[in-house]
Amino acid sequence: SESISVELESIEKNIDNIEKIKEKLDSTRLFYDKCCKELSLVRKEAAVMLQDNVNSELEPLKLIDAKFRVEITQKNLEKFNADGADNIKFLVKLNKGANEGEIHKISSGGELSRLMLALNLVLSGSLNRKTIIFDEVDAGVSGAVANAVGVRLQTLSNFQQVLVVTHLPQVASRGTQHFRSFKNSNNDHTYSGITELNYDDRVEEIAKMMSGEKITHEAKIMANKLMENS
């Protein structure tokens, strides 16, 4: 009958459409697989460069035995997405004979801050502008290492806004702005805040970092030198 013919024709059209959709899906999958492979190759090349550049920054930051590595593995098929087919992990081994682990799981506060400083410094030219906050970046360091941290933070600030909590004069002297935190209390309340320092105030504060509450003449001379050199 006519109705059966119409229904049969509709079924045949649907079958044709399904075949076309399958062909398009197959071709899209092939194109996606090709793009994933190309992206993985580029990532592996970039990973080697990133490893070398980050590792070259670790010794000056007193992470002498640390080793940074980028691990790239393939995702499970169901997790393939717009970012490609790769799982990427940043791994680090902090000491000789120590286990390697993911950078955010194996590092202490000071070590993680310095690792992130090295990583951000290497990537600074290719990242979108942002604000980076470092706390304890100078934990456990002094002297030449403190100066190396200060120089690298200053370099990074050419590309990103950098906020640093520090107790080291070599780091504090290199900031564009310097704020001192304080805590006061009265009979009923304790409150804290920050105040921005001018040049003379900065010299006083940096001298205090070196000699304690009682500022010596020598500390003030050194503080002036640090400010002038920065």
Side-chain angles (χ1 to χ4, degrees), residues 86-145:
D86 300 315
N87 273 323
I88 302 172
K89 292 181 179 179
F90 287 172
L91 304 174
V92 66
K93 182 168 66 174
L94 289 170
N95 301 293
K96 291 179 180 177
N99 293 327
E100 184 182 57
E102 290 185 71
I103 193 170
H104 62 288
K105 293 180 179 178
I106 203 169
S107 312
S108 68
E111 290 166 337
L112 181 59
S113 288
R114 277 177 280 154
L115 285 165
M116 293 310 296
L117 173 56
L119 188 58
N120 276 283
L121 192 61
V122 170
L123 295 173
S124 58
S126 58
L127 294 174
N128 293 329
R129 290 192 175 274
K130 57 185 180 181
T131 298
I132 305 173
I133 301 173
F134 289 101
D135 190 9
E136 295 188 42
V137 68
D138 49 23
V141 303
S142 59
V145 178

Side-chain angles (χ1 to χ4, degrees), residues 139 145 165 185:
V145 178
V165 180
S185 60

Side-chain angles (χ1 to χ4, degrees), residues 32-33 36 74-86:
Y32 175 81
D33 290 342
C36 283
Q74 190 174 49
K75 296 176 185 175
N76 294 329
L77 185 61
E78 66 273 11
K79 293 187 177 180
F80 284 18
N81 56 25
D83 294 324
D86 300 315

Side-chain angles (χ1 to χ4, degrees), residues 15-68:
I15 290 172
D16 288 341
N17 287 336
I18 290 170
E19 288 301 317
K20 288 177 182 178
I21 291 170
K22 284 178 66 179
E23 287 175 9
K24 188 172 183 179
L25 182 62
D26 289 340
S27 65
T28 302
R29 184 178 288 111
L30 286 172
F31 180 68
Y32 175 81
D33 290 342
K34 176 177 176 290
C35 291
C36 283
K37 288 175 183 176
E38 291 175 355
L39 180 58
S40 291
L41 286 174
V42 173
R43 279 175 169 157
K44 287 171 183 175
E45 291 174 0
V48 173
M49 294 174 59
L50 182 61
Q51 287 172 184
D52 291 345
N53 289 333
V54 170
N55 282 320
S56 69
E57 290 288 341
L58 298 184
E59 186 172 348
L61 294 173
K62 206 181 177 183
L63 295 165
I64 298 170
D65 295 321
K67 194 74 175 176
F68 171 80

